[in-house]
Amino acid sequence: MKNELEDMSREEFAARDFSEKSALRERERKYYAEKSEEIGLKSLERFLQYHPNPSRFMKLGFTYAHRDLESVADAMANGKPWAVVSGLNPSAPLHIGHKAVYDEVLWLQEQGAEVFIPLTNDESFVVGKSKTLGESRKVAYEEVIPSLIAMGFDAERTHMFVDSDYPDIYNVAMDLSNKISLNRAFGVFGFQMNENPGALFYRSAVQIAQILLPQYEEFGGPKPTVVPVGIDQYPYLLLARDVAEKKGFVPPAGLFLKFLWGMDGKGKMSASREGSAIFLTENTNRAKKIIKTSYTGGSPFADFQRENGGIHDICPVYTLRSYHFEEDNIVGEECASGQTLCGDCKKQAIEDVVSYLEDHQSKLEEARSRVGEFILKTPIRSIFEE
Ligand code: SF4
């Protein structure tokens, strides 16, 4: 049987490929617009207008919306205390998608935030991403925390904790659990009956405890807090805001970040899909190979791309270069005008990534010796007051 592509001219093939890519771009645009409207998010336009030096991700639109950022903006402008909570699941080393999120957290720290980073090895275990609690604990201490330290967080104002080694977080979860009804938790998360019962306690109480921890007396009491999240994590923020109100805390704000495309172009960058993520502790030859073979928004036919430009909005090489390595949106402009073709663009991406990985990896040894400076040990005693 003949393959239908065999009957197509190269122009027809390129045009079809491009129209599929354009449809993908439209789908992504619609997804963010509809979701933002559905949950009532605000654009960052006003914040960008008034902040003297917004983050590069805000300017590029990677950080694209917020929920109640006003309380944080006020604290930021007036030098009042405020916090950021940005946790992650330590089932694998940090990848370049995490780097984008923590670059944003670093910017928030430069604006005055106290940073809290929970490493949720309990979640890795409960949802089956790690076989044992010990396995994800090891990844947390040996890979994730050193990488975060090497990124440049300030030890005086950064508190990291691995959930299973900071049992106080479970006491806080207990303290908050009577402010949450099962009805509300089911409504927000939509649990499946075949899920592990640990998932119910984790999502409806432990995760909320992590978000509200900076507002406990031990850290100076109620204060504006912001959580950088992907739109899929909105339910946690919603529940944390409900509980904060009942507890007399400031409802936490949300800063919404887009998903970073995996290098395989098959969706969000993920450690579990081969060819999707570039890890910060990666062998540079493997990183080169991933970029060389990555999906793009370009055409296999150079003359077609020169004439029509590429579709950078859906291209992981574009997000890699513009989010991490270029000051202006020059990559997007050169791609859309057809001035740069994918081969040269990937070559530059490889140079930038390899140089970043070499620099990052050269800092890991010292970072490993500093882990103790960043680990949160503060006992939470206020919950035991009678
Ligand atoms: S030129 Fe670069 S940004 Fe444009 S589609 Fe190709 S790889 Fe992507």
Side-chain angles (χ1 to χ4, degrees), residues 250-262:
V250 183
L255 199 54
F256 289 79
L257 279 59
K258 289 185 179 169
F259 301 128
L260 209 78
W261 283 91

Side-chain angles (χ1 to χ4, degrees), residues 107-260:
W107 180 83
L108 291 166
Q109 182 163 75
E110 281 161 21
Q111 311 311 305
E114 192 89 12
V115 173
F116 290 75
I117 306 181
L119 282 304
T120 58
N121 71 323
D122 44 2
E123 186 195 18
S124 309
F125 175 64
V126 164
V127 302
K129 284 189 177 175
S130 299
K131 285 195 202 88
T132 63
L133 270 173
E135 188 180 295
S136 49
R137 184 177 177 273
K138 190 170 152 60
V139 176
Y141 286 108
E142 293 182 7
E143 306 270 356
V144 176
I145 297 176
S147 268
L148 288 167
I149 295 172
M151 285 178 68
F153 283 98
D154 172 1
E156 296 284 310
R157 291 182 303 126
T158 308
H159 315 289
M160 304 186 195
F161 56 94
V162 177
D163 276 358
S164 65
D165 290 348
Y166 187 57
D168 293 75
I169 202 67
Y170 301 115
N171 283 339
V172 173
M174 232 186 308
D175 181 48
L176 297 174
S177 64
N178 69 356
K179 307 269 183 295
I180 306 159
S181 71
L182 263 186
N183 208 10
R184 180 72 172 139
F186 270 77
V188 169
F189 296 113
F191 291 97
Q192 304 296 315
M193 288 314 278
N194 61 356
E195 279 190 83
N196 181 329
L200 176 63
F201 181 64
Y202 178 79
R203 285 194 220 151
S204 55
V206 181
Q207 180 89 326
I208 308 307
Q210 290 160 355
I211 296 175
L212 300 182
L213 183 70
Q215 301 201 53
Y216 273 76
E217 205 179 292
E218 287 76 0
F219 304 107
K223 63 172 71 63
T225 304
V226 62
V227 191
V229 279
I231 210 149
D232 59 332
Q233 292 158 323
Y234 181 66
Y236 294 109
L237 187 70
L238 190 63
L239 203 57
R241 289 173 59 83
D242 282 3
V243 176
E245 272 178 25
K246 291 181 191 154
K247 184 81 185 158
F249 288 168
V250 183
L255 199 54
F256 289 79
L257 279 59
K258 289 185 179 169
F259 301 128
L260 209 78

Side-chain angles (χ1 to χ4, degrees), residues 268-336:
K268 184 178 171 181
M269 187 173 280
S270 161
S272 55
R273 238 177 29 246
E274 182 58 31
S276 165
I278 297 173
F279 296 100
L280 302 190
T281 45
E282 188 89 80
N283 171 300
T284 51
N285 283 331
R286 189 174 170 273
K288 279 184 203 166
K289 195 170 156 210
I290 291 177
I291 299 170
K292 260 189 200 157
T293 54
S294 87
Y295 178 82
T296 71
S299 159
F301 303 108
D303 49 353
F304 187 89
Q305 189 170 338
R306 261 194 211 101
E307 197 177 313
N308 297 283
I311 302 178
H312 58 82
D313 319 43
I314 57 154
C315 178
V317 183
Y318 163 73
T319 44
L320 186 64
R321 289 188 59 198
S322 62
Y323 290 175
H324 298 280
F325 304 109
E326 301 286 337
E327 273 312 316
D328 309 312
N329 194 12
I330 193 146
V331 188
E333 284 161 24
E334 289 183 356
C335 169

Side-chain angles (χ1 to χ4, degrees), residues 159-161 165-166 168 219 371-380:
H159 315 289
M160 304 186 195
F161 56 94
D165 290 348
Y166 187 57
D168 293 75
F219 304 107
V371 169
E373 292 173 42
F374 288 81
I375 296 295
L376 181 68
K377 298 180 192 87
T378 312
I380 309 297

